[in-house]
Amino acid sequence: MTAAERRLRLYLVSRAKLLGRAVRLTGDGSIAEDLLQDAWLRFDAAAAGQAQRETLPYLRTVVDNLSRDWRRRRSVQSSLFADNADTPPVDVPSLDPSPESQAIARDELRALAALFETMPVRMRRAVEMHRIEGATLTQIAERLSVSVTTAHGLVAEGVARCRSALRQPK
């Protein structure tokens, strides 16, 4: 008798007891049948060429592990998915801005664009470099050929004007 035949015979002789064990662990006969088939495939693949793995305790361990894994998966799935089909799905907020938020943002952008047109050129450029381009005050001072203190004043005054324009009622 070949090793593969001995493994198959061991499985067939032990199948009823293994099935009973799997049913006790899962509580479901059809799931136990599926797990037992999977256990046989794993047992046979792992035991091929290894005489020490052709034992009933190893096959029981495979059944036990597959049953535990199945219970863990079921537990996680039941916590993630509602069993009651009548329960409405949970509303998940959209990451997209609402139409109202989009309209408000467009209005604020128009107000800022109009304000930028009335700002002194150096102030507008200092605010653009600082807030849009991410330039430091030192870099702004170098590009505008002013002191760092003056660059800070230009940015601070420009941002204050922007805030003021956005707070004013339309």
Side-chain angles (χ1 to χ4, degrees), residues 39-61:
W40 161 249
L41 294 173
R42 290 177 186 218
F43 170 75
D44 189 48
Q50 298 180 8
Q52 72 271 17
R53 292 223 169 154
E54 295 178 26
T55 63
L56 185 57
Y58 180 72
L59 188 53
R60 278 191 211 117
T61 302

Side-chain angles (χ1 to χ4, degrees), residues 1 4-15 40:
M1 181 180 288
E5 290 170 339
R6 283 194 306 274
R7 285 193 304 273
L8 181 58
R9 186 168 193 273
L10 172 69
Y11 172 75
L12 293 174
V13 168
S14 309
R15 189 177 187 292
W40 161 249

Side-chain angles (χ1 to χ4, degrees), residues 124-145:
R124 180 181 68 227
R125 187 66 191 125
V127 171
E128 287 172 347
M129 283 191 286
H130 190 263
R131 293 297 181 147
I132 297 172
E133 298 171 18
T136 65
L137 292 175
T138 305
Q139 292 168 335
I140 294 168
E142 288 174 5
R143 289 185 200 164
L144 296 179
S145 300

Side-chain angles (χ1 to χ4, degrees), residues 6 18 58 64 78 82 170:
R6 283 194 306 274
L18 292 170
Y58 180 72
D64 291 351
S78 67
K170 276 108 184 138

Side-chain angles (χ1 to χ4, degrees), residues 13-86:
V13 168
S14 309
R15 189 177 187 292
K17 287 184 180 181
L18 292 170
L19 182 61
R21 186 181 195 96
V23 168
R24 280 192 308 278
L25 291 171
T26 62
D28 187 330
S30 63
I31 297 296
E33 285 281 351
D34 290 344
L35 292 178
L36 203 57
Q37 289 177 11
D38 193 19
W40 161 249
L41 294 173
R42 290 177 186 218
F43 170 75
D44 189 48
Q50 298 180 8
Q52 72 271 17
R53 292 223 169 154
E54 295 178 26
T55 63
L56 185 57
Y58 180 72
L59 188 53
R60 278 191 211 117
T61 302
V62 173
V63 170
D64 291 351
N65 289 342
L66 288 172
S67 299
R68 281 190 206 101
D69 290 346
W70 178 82
R71 282 195 325 246
R72 283 188 202 116
R73 266 193 317 275
R74 185 187 64 183
S75 173
V76 168
Q77 288 173 347
S78 67
S79 69
L80 293 176
F81 304 106
D83 290 337
N84 188 355
D86 297 334

